[in-house]
Amino acid sequence: MTRYLIRRTVLAIPLVLGIATLLFFVINLAPGDPTQLMINPSMRAEVVEQMRANFGLDQSLPVRYTKWLTAFVRGDLGYSYSYNQPVSQVIAQILPNTLLLSGAALVVAFVVGVLIGIVQAVRQYSLLDQALSFVALFFYSMPSFWLALMMILVFALFARNVWDWPIYFPPSGTRSVDFAQLGTWDQIVDRARYMVLPVTSLALVLAAGIARYTRSSMLEVVRQDYVRTARAKGLRERTVILKHALRNALIPVITLFGLYLPVLFSGTVFIEYVFGWPGMGKTIIDAISLRDYPVVMGTSVIFACMVVVGNLIADVLYAVVDPRIRYE
Amino acid sequence: MMTTRARIVLGLTVVAAACGRDYADGGAAAVGVETFCADVAPHVDAFMARMEQEHSVTDSARYGGTVVVASIGDMVDGMNHFVSSDYTASQNQQFVNLMSLIRYDASIQPQPYLAESWEVDDPTHPSTITFHLRRDVYWHDGVRTDANDVAFTYRVVTDPETAYPNAAFWDHYVGGAEGIEVVDSFTVRVRLSPHAEYLDPWTGVSIMPRHLLEGVPVSQLKQHPYGTQCPVGNGPFVFVEHRPQESWTFKTNPAFPTDLGGRPYVDRYVYRVIPEQATLLTDLLTENIDVYLAPRADQVPEIIRSEDLDLLRSVSRSYTLVAWNARRPQLADARVRRAMTLGTNRHEIVEAQLRGYGVVANSGVPPFHWAYDPTLADSVRYDPAEARRLLEEAGWIDRDGDGVRENAEGAPLAFTLKYNQGNQYRQDIAEIMQAQLGQIGVKVQPQVMEFGTMIAQLSGEERDFDATVVGWVTEFKLDDVDLFHSSRIDQPYAFSGTRNAQMDRLLDTLQLVVDRQAAIPLWKEYQQLLLREQPYTYFYFPERLNGINKRVRGVTMDARGEWVNIKDWWIPRDKRRAVQRAAAR
Amino acid sequence: MPLPVGGGDAVTAVAFPGARRRTRGGRLLSAVMPGAPQLLVGRFGAGLTALLVWVGLLAVLVLRWDRVWAAVRVSSGASLDDRVALVTLVAGLAAAWVWSFRDAGKVQELRWVGVSQWVLAGRAFSRNRLAVLGAVGILILYLVALLAPFLSPYDPSALGDLLTERLVPPSTAHLLGTDHFARDVLSRVLYGARISLSIGFVAIGISVTIGTLLGAVAGFFGSWVDTVLMRIVDMVIAFPQLVLLITVIALFQPSIFLIIAVLGLTQWTGTTRLVRGEVLSLREREFIQAAGALGFSRARIIFFHLVPNVLGPVIVAATLGIGNTIVLEASLSFLGLGVQPPTPSWGTMVADGRSLMLQAWWLSTFPGLAIVFTVLAFNLVGDGLRDALDPRLRR
């Protein structure tokens, strides 16, 4: 297993480097550069030229690429043009937000999705199955930014201003402005309140996909002989489903966990925008429009690494839950 | 607006020439960059704690509470005035964290601020200005602000290496160390050649702390942690925390001079970034934020309808326009450009898209400005008949009956109109022009562009555009030299590329006339010339609209900006957030 | 496979004695009202669809006679859109009538022996009510899209009076209200159906074609071909899609074709993996071995033997993919990168109207619902197909 992990990791290096290379040339091909965005008539053209020179933007693409690559290999992601900070520092500030949001959403989505999937499979074609299918797919079919806005309108605005519900949630942000003045317990409650809406919006969309996966996986399993045998033994249906069928049905579902990591990483961008949640997705998009090449490169490489890690986790989980699979 | 998105970028790799230059004139040693924040923070905390005791609050009815201002954009350049060019950041430097020597009052007359008085050697022909500084202003770490700070700031902003965004302010000043003399600890004298509005730069330049930044090579100022991680100002608010893309938090400065009103009323001021306008409005309606800066005009009815909210309207210095690329053959003729303006119903656009919150523009001179000529306000009203006549006079006639005019060679009168994505107003203008100019036989093709790409095309040597919807923000000192002067025709901002000798002469003269009364006729002549030449079709000056919760009292917003009197905003005790109410008891 | 006897659903109903008699007498009825005889014997899905199409299209013909007539007249200068709508109208009417007439006359019989997997799948599918509902929904959507010139009350891109007709709430004059250019929202939603459906359909067409081909090639040839192709797939998957989309759209000028191309060229990796997996297992099966032994060319084996046998899962993936693509286009619009105005696409309409959700809820709600129900329909059909095509999931 260890050897397998090492081999996979080594194989991933050229992959990440390849992506980085491709990306470097792709983003540098887009017209415009960071100094041109500094559109201010009071700025003399000579100064702009000087800045480009300072920046190394006057050098040819291959030279810049070599420089970036050597720095990158040494673990230096460079200096952000727009944050005035090292890229690694920017990422260190932003990444925890994304991980918190995605991690919470992932957990919620798996719990809800697996539950729905089991119910659907056990009652295939029943009214309940169809109703759950319809509801799950309804949320799945919404553009996530639209769902997010609806959540805000209902659970933040109308709940507070129109219907006077006892519980309502703040529309945006990660914590209240007076966070620092709160006690520890209040701080936890405060952060949780701010997470409810974004996490729910994200999880709703993901849960539908997981439910669908669980359902078909369960359907396959419950038709297998050993399940039939278990039933024939006279075990209770509950025991059959939960003890015998579910364990095997969850194998492919668990691998989804790894595969969803990168989806969460970039798929949260709309949620981040709507809920004013500072995260990686928005960082990448802003960096592209500002032509902040080091940030684009840094965040994208992290993204690529997460995909690789996600795949690896999926494979490892597969081996952990399914004793038939052995990696050499 | 364009300049609000503008930003400067300095080199990562420092070129040899830029290295090693600093302004250490025997002062304290520069603080190490890596440990800068850690070194500075204890001094700030200690000084603030001491000042809090000395200037404790007696009147908790007015003093206290947190005010939250929110908008869609981050202050990317932070509080480092040397390298910042975005509007929100410079407002926060000027009125929140730092101080300028002088500031404008509501009627745009210079008033004392950090400088308690000043003298000009010859008001009609100024060649030196002497500023006398206040003696009771302290940097937030306890060091007194003095003449050396002003001299340091002046030397840095006039140094080309700094790439100070408003370098053109200092065109008629003597730059560098020769230009400024420290007479005594609280007196400085600057040298200049006579020119229009010579005091204006001093209202815009925020004085920076010499004792913290003087060892830093100027080309590396941009990367210095001062700007975004631990700014130490001398203004009414003290920096507390910056969370990228999320918020800036400031607290009250108890040491702010009593003569200038003393400490601000609110304990804390938070600037929040919320990139989505629909969310911003909901935040305002649910009291999650107190001020929503620049809502869409179409969102305003919702703000007016709410009992808890007020709409604050103020004049703006920004304007929206269509720039014509006169290098293109079909747009080279001023009559054609004039016909485009006549053929577009700008009043209707202001009434509909801006809901009347704005005025039609005919030049870049804002209506509140002393140089503005009100008699020209209605001079190019919507007149399709006149537009058609002009086009025919210029030889553009629909010769083949397809609804689009052609010239004698058969080339159609068609052009693409580029605008940047994500700006609804500009998209609206493009679509309305397409419809309305279509009626007078001009084929307009709106084309949306990614912002960076569009700027590259507008300012690049190729000038790869026919026409474009853009915006400018003017300063109080007007200066269109970079836009229209023929000597700048190859510079990035000469979008239209028109040449006109009268224009050149006026632009040159206007920069040098010291006396406003003498300049007014010239400004009128200039505005009339713009009407004839039409390098741009000026659209409108939109009003600045801001939604504000009524619990925040005493707010003034005008042409000077949104933060101009943030020091005097206050929240009645019973209207403060729960935590703050508890703290006040 | 056990015989699906019993059950009160549509297909088995005709197997009861007496069903025959009733259907036989339905020919006359079907000539006047297609679909009615099928309804009478309890085949609600098919009957209702035929009836709806017939009545709906007749209604369009009568109520919008002036526009239909204008499209018929050669000299009227009708556009291509009008002609396409005309053809759709005529073809739809004819299809509903002919199908119902012939179907009503046919003796319904159930053959349980020797039916293909596809027939079995069809039967399984038609028993899934939600899936059938989805399929009917998609049919109606395509009809609406094609008939938009006849259906829409106003020109979708004509600016109205900006001072008086702007942001008017839904009323009898404008059923779904007007937007900030005083354009009719209903007309734009109707025309928007074309854009959104085309984007989904064409983009997925591109990606499925690429994906199937590459997957089949990788799976069939194996060895280094497989390795190289799969590494490319890994790379595309690990490449941040948003970065690519935004950069490409910045590089070229945004247009509907660019959006379609970009969406099509970035989504093929899933299909490739799917097809490769299937082909890897098919490759070892006897019929492929036999084809190889017979000396068939590799191209022939891939296209005639392998690809048809992986079509099932590919069709499922494609159906689900169309829905995803429509949502993706809407999401791009949110970032201002979607289909550009004045072309009415649902995504752009939702995105543009979102900041006025409180002031003019109809701006983004109606196109939003259109997206939800369209994507929902594709997903229901996709899930139904998956259940129907996979013998392991079939009841």
Side-chain angles (χ1 to χ4, degrees):
Chain A
M1 192 68 176
T2 321
R3 283 189 55 195
Y4 169 80
L5 278 178
I6 293 170
R7 206 182 72 223
R8 282 284 300 263
T9 315
V10 171
L11 275 177
I13 291 172
L15 179 73
V16 172
L17 283 182
I19 289 168
T21 306
L22 202 61
L23 196 69
F24 187 89
F25 289 97
V26 166
I27 59 169
N28 277 287
L29 277 176
D33 72 39
T35 54
Q36 267 169 330
L37 287 171
M38 219 255 15
I39 178 109
N40 182 341
S42 301
M43 188 121 198
R44 295 275 169 259
E46 310 84 74
V47 176
V48 177
E49 266 318 300
Q50 177 63 39
M51 275 173 21
R52 297 193 71 231
N54 286 358
F55 229 164
L57 288 171
D58 55 340
Q59 289 159 332
S60 70
L61 214 49
V63 175
R64 282 158 58 196
Y65 172 67
T66 324
K67 282 191 171 171
W68 181 83
L69 193 65
T70 40
F72 172 70
V73 169
R74 288 200 313 263
D76 177 7
L77 291 177
Y79 213 92
S80 161
Y81 306 179
S82 59
Y83 290 89
N84 309 329
Q85 284 177 40
V87 174
S88 48
Q89 228 179 66
V90 175
I91 292 176
Q93 280 171 313
I94 304 287
L95 192 59
N97 287 327
T98 298
L99 292 181
L100 185 63
L101 176 61
S102 321
L106 209 53
V107 171
V108 174
F110 264 89
V111 171
V112 175
V114 167
L115 280 179
I116 293 179
I118 295 172
V119 174
Q120 280 188 297
V122 174
R123 302 251 180 279
Q124 192 188 10
Y125 295 127
S126 71
L127 201 63
L128 186 64
D129 171 27
Q130 302 201 330
L132 283 175
S133 275
F134 193 86
V135 172
L137 284 178
F138 185 83
F139 287 113
Y140 184 71
S141 305
M142 272 192 197
S144 54
F145 71 87
W146 201 54
L147 173 63
L149 281 174
M150 293 295 179
M151 300 282 287
I152 290 184
L153 288 189
V154 173
F155 295 104
L157 182 63
F158 295 152
R160 179 187 183 276
N161 289 11
V162 182
W163 302 320
D164 283 324
W165 287 0
I167 298 177
Y168 54 86
F169 299 98
S172 76
T174 63
R175 66 196 72 197
S176 60
V177 289
D178 298 315
F179 185 76
Q181 272 101 313
L182 299 172
T184 316
W185 172 246
D186 287 335
Q187 285 191 337
I188 296 172
V189 174
D190 187 66
R191 297 230 51 188
R193 251 168 61 83
Y194 277 81
M195 279 175 69
V196 170
L197 293 187
V199 167
T200 315
S201 311
L202 195 54
L204 270 180
V205 176
L206 291 172
I210 295 166
R212 174 192 276 167
Y213 225 82
T214 314
R215 175 175 178 270
S216 38
S217 176
M218 271 302 267
L219 284 179
E220 271 178 43
V221 171
V222 292
R223 277 168 181 64
Q224 303 220 337
D225 291 340
Y226 74 91
V227 176
R228 207 166 295 168
T229 316
R231 283 211 181 101
K233 277 201 303 191
L235 290 180
R236 282 191 310 167
E237 185 66 15
R238 199 189 167 81
T239 324
V240 174
I241 295 295
L242 292 181
K243 280 194 76 174
H244 294 77
L246 185 60
R247 286 177 71 169
N248 281 308
L250 281 185
I251 292 173
V253 178
I254 282 172
T255 60
L256 266 189
F257 207 91
L259 297 178
Y260 266 0
L261 276 182
V263 177
L264 278 174
F265 183 72
S266 63
T268 51
V269 58
F270 307 103
I271 303 290
E272 287 168 14
Y273 262 96
V274 174
F275 291 106
W277 188 279
M280 294 297 273
K282 184 170 177 291
T283 307
I284 294 196
I285 295 197
D286 288 354
I288 296 175
S289 60
L290 294 174
R291 303 286 188 273
D292 192 344
Y293 304 131
V295 170
V296 181
M297 294 300 299
T299 45
S300 302
V301 167
I302 292 217
F303 170 80
C305 291
M306 285 186 61
V307 177
V308 172
V309 172
N311 276 320
L312 203 57
I313 292 178
D315 287 350
V316 171
L317 280 179
Y318 218 87
V320 171
V321 293
D322 190 345
R324 287 169 299 184
I325 294 170
R326 283 275 170 270
Y327 294 116
E328 290 308 322
Chain B
M1 298 300 118
M2 275 177 145
T3 42
T4 60
R5 290 200 52 177
R7 49 212 67 191
I8 344 161
V9 164
L10 269 183
L12 284 181
T13 45
V14 182
V15 175
C19 274
R21 168 168 347 185
D22 61 46
Y23 293 90
D25 40 16
V31 186
V33 170
E34 290 77 20
T35 57
F36 180 81
C37 290
D39 291 345
V40 155
H43 293 284
V44 175
D45 291 343
F47 181 62
M48 282 304 136
R50 192 154 61 83
M51 288 297 115
E52 193 65 59
Q53 295 208 312
E54 278 179 29
H55 306 264
S56 60
V57 173
T58 48
D59 167 26
S60 69
R62 279 214 173 197
Y63 286 94
T66 303
V67 65
V68 186
V69 177
S71 145
I72 56 173
D74 196 0
M75 298 189 270
V76 276
D77 296 321
M79 295 297 119
N80 185 343
H81 179 72
F82 291 139
V83 293
S84 97
S85 57
D86 83 81
Y87 173 81
T88 309
S90 53
Q91 284 268 309
N92 277 275
Q93 291 156 13
Q94 263 182 289
F95 302 119
V96 175
N97 193 236
L98 292 165
M99 294 177 78
S100 50
L101 283 189
I102 52 182
R103 60 175 176 179
Y104 284 127
D105 62 10
S107 50
I108 318 298
Q109 294 300 325
Q111 300 294 333
Y113 195 34
L114 178 57
E116 57 188 1
S117 64
W118 64 91
E119 294 123 31
V120 181
D121 59 343
D122 175 1
T124 57
H125 197 81
S127 63
T128 66
I129 314 174
T130 310
F131 290 104
H132 303 283
L133 307 189
R134 306 189 62 85
R135 287 154 194 262
D136 53 0
V137 176
Y138 292 85
W139 295 106
H140 298 154
D141 60 357
V143 175
R144 187 130 64 144
T145 306
D146 65 16
N148 287 317
D149 291 310
V150 179
F152 164 70
T153 305
Y154 184 80
R155 288 194 304 261
V156 176
V157 297
T158 53
D159 184 340
E161 296 278 349
T162 314
Y164 180 64
N166 292 319
F169 280 1
W170 310 103
D171 278 356
H172 303 280
Y173 274 85
V174 179
E178 311 86 63
I180 190 154
E181 177 195 350
V182 177
V183 180
D184 63 47
S185 289
F186 297 97
T187 311
V188 288
R189 186 170 296 135
V190 286
R191 292 169 51 210
L192 65 155
S193 58
H195 63 282
E197 302 296 302
Y198 56 89
L199 275 175
D200 183 79
W202 295 105
T203 66
V205 61
S206 298
I207 304 306
M208 297 283 287
R210 178 193 67 103
H211 67 291
L212 295 175
L213 295 172
E214 76 176 344
V216 182
V218 284
S219 62
Q220 288 184 345
L221 278 168
K222 173 115 179 129
Q223 300 153 37
H224 195 275
Y226 175 92
T228 51
Q229 292 165 55
C230 46
V232 178
N234 56 358
F237 286 92
V238 181
F239 169 83
V240 176
E241 185 191 29
H242 170 218
R243 309 177 66 83
Q245 294 185 33
E246 189 179 348
S247 64
W248 285 80
T249 306
F250 297 91
K251 65 180 180 195
T252 178
N253 174 11
F256 196 69
T258 323
D259 289 352
L260 295 173
R263 65 186 287 162
Y265 289 132
V266 290
D267 276 344
R268 274 141 39 89
Y269 147 61
V270 179
Y271 177 80
R272 279 197 51 201
V273 184
I274 303 168
E276 177 62 36
Q277 286 186 310
T279 313
L280 268 163
L281 182 58
T282 322
D283 272 313
L284 184 68
L285 289 167
T286 56
E287 297 190 351
N288 206 31
I289 60 173
D290 298 316
V291 182
Y292 168 12
L293 296 174
R296 275 180 68 168
D298 280 325
Q299 289 182 321
V300 164
E302 200 65 29
I303 295 173
I304 293 175
R305 195 172 313 144
S306 169
E307 289 171 3
D308 301 327
L309 305 179
D310 259 338
L311 176 74
L312 284 186
R313 301 165 55 179
S314 61
V315 292
S316 80
R317 292 178 272 146
S318 63
Y319 55 97
T320 301
L321 58 107
V322 169
W324 305 106
N325 185 356
R327 302 168 188 86
R328 293 280 194 267
Q330 73 269 35
L331 296 167
D333 189 333
R335 286 173 299 186
V336 174
R337 301 195 295 265
R338 196 175 155 80
M340 305 291 180
T341 309
L342 286 165
T344 309
N345 194 341
R346 295 175 295 162
H347 283 92
E348 187 182 76
I349 292 177
V350 170
E351 284 309 312
Q353 307 309 110
L354 294 184
R355 292 189 168 256
Y357 296 116
V359 274
V360 171
N362 282 309
S363 76
V365 183
F368 70 84
H369 200 276
W370 54 266
Y372 180 71
D373 183 355
T375 61
L376 298 176
D378 261 350
S379 43
V380 254
R381 280 201 87 94
Y382 181 52
D383 189 350
E386 172 67 5
R388 287 194 188 92
R389 195 191 63 75
L390 274 173
L391 288 175
E392 260 144 48
E393 192 183 300
W396 295 96
I397 296 151
D398 185 7
R399 290 160 215 266
D400 56 9
D402 65 349
V404 179
R405 292 167 189 271
E406 291 88 19
N407 64 4
E409 290 83 49
L413 184 48
F415 60 88
T416 56
L417 181 55
K418 291 183 173 171
Y419 61 95
N420 61 298
Q421 57 182 230
N423 190 314
Q424 188 69 44
Y425 294 122
R426 294 184 189 168
Q427 177 185 322
D428 289 354
I429 286 179
E431 287 194 49
I432 289 172
M433 280 191 106
Q434 180 186 31
Q436 294 186 341
L437 292 182
Q439 288 166 9
I440 60 166
V442 182
K443 189 171 159 57
V444 182
Q445 180 58 51
Q447 170 75 60
V448 67
M449 303 295 300
E450 198 264 345
F451 186 74
T453 307
M454 188 176 93
I455 295 308
Q457 292 183 347
L458 300 188
S459 51
E461 280 172 26
E462 310 284 319
R463 306 280 181 192
D464 182 15
F465 74 103
D466 299 331
T468 179
V469 193
V470 287
W472 289 119
V473 186
T474 68
E475 298 295 336
F476 292 104
K477 176 191 172 192
L478 301 170
D479 180 1
D480 285 351
V481 170
D482 288 284
L483 309 183
F484 302 132
H485 199 288
S486 63
S487 67
R488 303 284 162 85
I489 206 149
D490 293 323
Q491 298 284 332
Y493 309 109
F495 293 159
S496 52
T498 47
R499 276 175 201 277
N500 183 306
Q502 191 190 357
M503 181 89 84
D504 291 352
R505 191 174 48 75
L506 275 169
L507 287 171
D508 287 335
T509 321
L510 281 169
Q511 291 313 306
L512 298 176
V513 182
V514 175
D515 181 26
R516 279 186 186 177
Q517 289 311 314
I520 285 176
L522 291 172
W523 276 110
K524 287 193 171 174
E525 192 185 339
Y526 174 67
Q527 290 168 72
Q528 272 162 349
L529 180 62
L530 280 178
L531 283 179
R532 281 200 304 279
E533 268 293 295
Q534 294 286 323
Y536 293 166
T537 290
Y538 289 94
F539 262 85
Y540 50 68
F541 287 96
E543 274 182 34
R544 281 188 180 283
L545 303 171
N546 298 298
I548 181 165
N549 194 308
K550 283 181 181 161
R551 73 193 197 95
V552 184
R553 311 285 164 85
V555 179
T556 300
M557 293 185 181
D558 57 28
R560 292 170 292 171
E562 285 76 3
W563 286 265
V564 63
N565 79 330
I566 184 164
K567 210 177 72 50
D568 303 328
W569 299 3
W570 61 282
I571 306 169
R573 187 164 33 190
D574 58 323
K575 304 273 184 188
R576 290 174 201 154
R577 289 186 173 80
V579 183
Q580 297 289 335
R581 278 206 302 274
R585 243 181 265 130
Chain C
M1 171 124 280
L3 292 184
V5 185
D9 53 45
V11 175
T12 43
V14 288
F16 290 124
R20 248 188 207 187
R21 242 190 349 261
R22 269 189 271 159
T23 31
R24 208 183 273 162
R27 278 197 103 143
L28 192 68
L29 183 57
S30 84
V32 206
M33 187 153 281
Q38 287 81 9
L39 270 180
L40 285 179
V41 297
R43 293 168 61 203
F44 290 106
L48 211 60
T49 311
L51 190 64
L52 271 180
V53 169
W54 175 257
V55 175
L57 293 185
L58 267 188
V60 172
L61 189 67
V62 174
L63 295 174
R64 295 272 183 237
W65 173 247
D66 47 337
R67 290 196 214 173
V68 177
W69 181 239
V72 172
R73 276 171 36 225
V74 184
S75 59
S76 66
S79 66
L80 182 64
D81 276 2
D82 295 340
R83 303 257 194 253
V84 170
L86 184 64
V87 172
T88 314
L89 185 64
V90 174
L93 282 171
W97 194 86
V98 170
W99 173 82
S100 174
F101 191 72
R102 287 182 50 179
D103 182 77
K106 214 162 39 182
V107 178
Q108 294 288 330
E109 52 178 335
L110 287 172
R111 292 187 298 136
W112 294 109
V113 207
V115 294
S116 73
Q117 278 292 320
W118 293 105
V119 173
L120 284 177
R123 285 182 188 155
F125 184 83
S126 66
R127 261 179 292 157
N128 185 339
R129 277 188 224 106
L130 277 181
V132 171
L133 194 70
V136 174
I138 291 176
L139 176 75
I140 292 174
L141 272 169
Y142 272 98
L143 281 179
V144 165
L146 290 167
L147 290 172
F150 294 158
L151 294 176
S152 63
Y154 299 89
D155 179 346
S157 48
L159 270 53
D161 185 339
L162 292 181
L163 295 180
T164 56
E165 290 172 14
R166 216 170 151 262
L167 299 178
V168 177
S171 63
T172 44
H174 298 279
L175 284 179
L176 304 187
T178 62
D179 70 2
H180 62 294
F181 281 133
R183 294 175 301 202
D184 183 54
V185 173
L186 174 60
S187 307
R188 291 179 69 74
V189 170
L190 291 176
Y191 270 89
R194 316 177 131 205
I195 306 298
S196 295
L197 287 176
S198 331
I199 288 179
F201 200 77
V202 180
I204 285 303
I206 295 173
S207 80
V208 161
T209 312
I210 299 177
T212 310
L213 280 182
L214 290 184
V217 166
F220 181 70
F221 288 100
S223 76
W224 66 269
V225 179
D226 186 32
T227 315
V228 170
L229 284 175
M230 282 305 111
R231 286 294 85 73
I232 293 177
V233 168
D234 284 347
M235 203 153 135
V236 174
I237 288 178
F239 204 95
Q241 203 186 14
L242 268 175
V243 177
L244 189 69
L245 288 174
I246 296 175
T247 320
V248 168
I249 289 169
L251 264 175
F252 306 97
Q253 310 200 320
S255 74
I256 184 164
F257 301 106
L258 183 72
I259 307 271
I260 290 179
V262 169
L263 290 178
L265 291 176
T266 48
Q267 292 188 59
W268 50 271
T269 49
T271 321
T272 309
R273 281 190 165 172
L274 183 83
V275 171
R276 172 180 172 268
E278 296 279 325
V279 168
L280 275 180
S281 73
L282 281 174
R283 199 173 60 167
E284 308 303 327
R285 299 267 290 276
E286 291 83 356
F287 72 102
I288 300 294
Q289 305 281 347
L294 283 170
F296 289 164
S297 71
R298 285 164 170 181
R300 178 168 173 168
I301 296 176
I302 291 178
F303 285 110
F304 289 89
H305 300 277
L306 285 177
V307 169
N309 278 294
V310 297
L311 271 187
V314 169
I315 288 174
V316 173
T319 317
L320 298 174
I322 292 181
N324 287 345
T325 310
I326 292 174
V327 173
L328 199 56
E329 190 270 327
S331 304
L332 280 182
S333 307
F334 175 88
L335 298 175
L337 302 168
V339 175
Q340 294 304 326
T343 314
S345 101
W346 290 339
T348 315
M349 293 169 75
V350 178
D352 283 357
R354 71 180 190 270
S355 59
L356 301 183
M357 201 81 100
L358 291 173
Q359 299 76 27
W361 55 272
W362 57 93
L363 281 189
S364 63
T365 305
F366 292 118
L369 288 177
I371 293 179
V372 171
F373 284 111
T374 305
V375 179
L376 187 64
F378 277 104
N379 275 312
L380 288 175
V381 171
D383 278 357
L385 282 176
R386 183 209 306 273
D387 281 13
L389 287 171
D390 188 342
R392 289 170 303 182
L393 297 181
R394 239 179 256 156
R395 181 155 48 178

